[in-house]
Amino acid sequence: FPPITTPFYPEGDVYYRKLESNVERYSKSPVAGLVVQGSTGEAILLSDQERRDVLKVAMEAAAANKVMIAGTGIESARETLRLTEYAASLGYDAAMVRTPHYYKGQMNKPQNMLAFYRTVADRSPLPVIIYNFPQATGYDMPVEVAIQLAEHPNIIAIKESSGSVEKI
């Protein structure tokens, strides 16, 4: 499941036609599916409308047999769920949710990580993939938290990007 980029024009607008073309090309490859708006997709730099438009364009351009994963993590559980619900309405198969990072002093506490992911997983219409990316968020999800979250029936995987082989 390669994470795809979001192409931009030089002035900073999303280049939707190029995105469509890229997804059509990736859909002809042997990959099982695509991740739209992971960190490589630069979703953090997009407006809410641009995030929605990127998800829509990518989904419409993807081959029907590809598993489509939507990066829907935003700073609040409420906004994460709104974007996840939109992705579900488009036909995405799963939501990849990064840990919020703006209030990392608070989010770095295990009980807050558990509360965030459980809130999202309890209400998400899509299966949830945890996205742990400490280089971008400024903190690392402890193994113990990941183990507890793995018990949730709507959490299906983790994208572990800490770079720690021991942790994996």
Side-chain angles (χ1 to χ4, degrees):
F1 298 96
I4 65 169
T5 60
T6 301
F8 294 91
Y9 286 104
E11 67 276 1
D13 293 335
V14 176
Y15 191 172
Y16 292 104
R17 179 61 195 114
K18 183 64 174 170
L19 173 64
E20 180 181 18
S21 173
N22 288 348
V23 171
E24 288 170 352
R25 186 167 34 94
Y26 303 147
S27 289
K28 294 174 185 168
S29 76
V31 299
L34 303 172
V35 177
V36 181
Q37 294 192 132
S39 55
T40 308
E42 301 182 282
I44 194 102
L45 303 176
L46 302 177
S47 70
D48 182 59
Q49 189 59 54
E50 287 171 326
R51 282 187 206 101
R52 289 170 179 267
D53 292 344
V54 166
L55 288 174
K56 187 172 195 257
V57 167
M59 189 65 188
E60 289 174 351
N65 65 328
K66 299 298 180 183
V67 175
M68 296 296 286
I69 300 171
T72 61
I74 302 179
E75 292 306 301
S76 73
R78 175 179 275 178
E79 290 304 311
T80 296
L81 284 165
R82 283 186 182 145
L83 191 57
T84 302
E85 289 163 0
Y86 180 71
S89 76
L90 294 174
Y92 277 84
D93 299 293
M96 186 176 72
V97 179
R98 67 166 167 77
T99 50
H101 66 279
Y102 187 81
Y103 293 108
K104 61 181 133 281
Q106 292 300 312
M107 282 308 301
N108 196 15
K109 297 176 182 168
Q111 68 270 21
N112 293 340
M113 285 184 227
L114 289 167
F116 173 79
Y117 275 109
R118 286 176 176 156
T119 297
V120 170
D122 285 347
R123 295 176 177 99
S124 174
L126 294 174
V128 174
I129 299 168
I130 296 167
Y131 185 12
N132 183 45
F133 190 21
Q135 298 89 324
T137 62
Y139 64 95
D140 192 12
M141 179 182 288
V143 171
E144 298 77 23
V145 170
I147 289 169
Q148 288 181 57
L149 290 172
E151 296 172 2
H152 195 289
N154 204 31
I155 294 177
I156 61 167
I158 184 167
K159 180 179 182 207
E160 174 54 56
S161 295
S162 69
S164 170
V165 175
E166 296 81 23
K167 186 175 182 182
I168 293 170

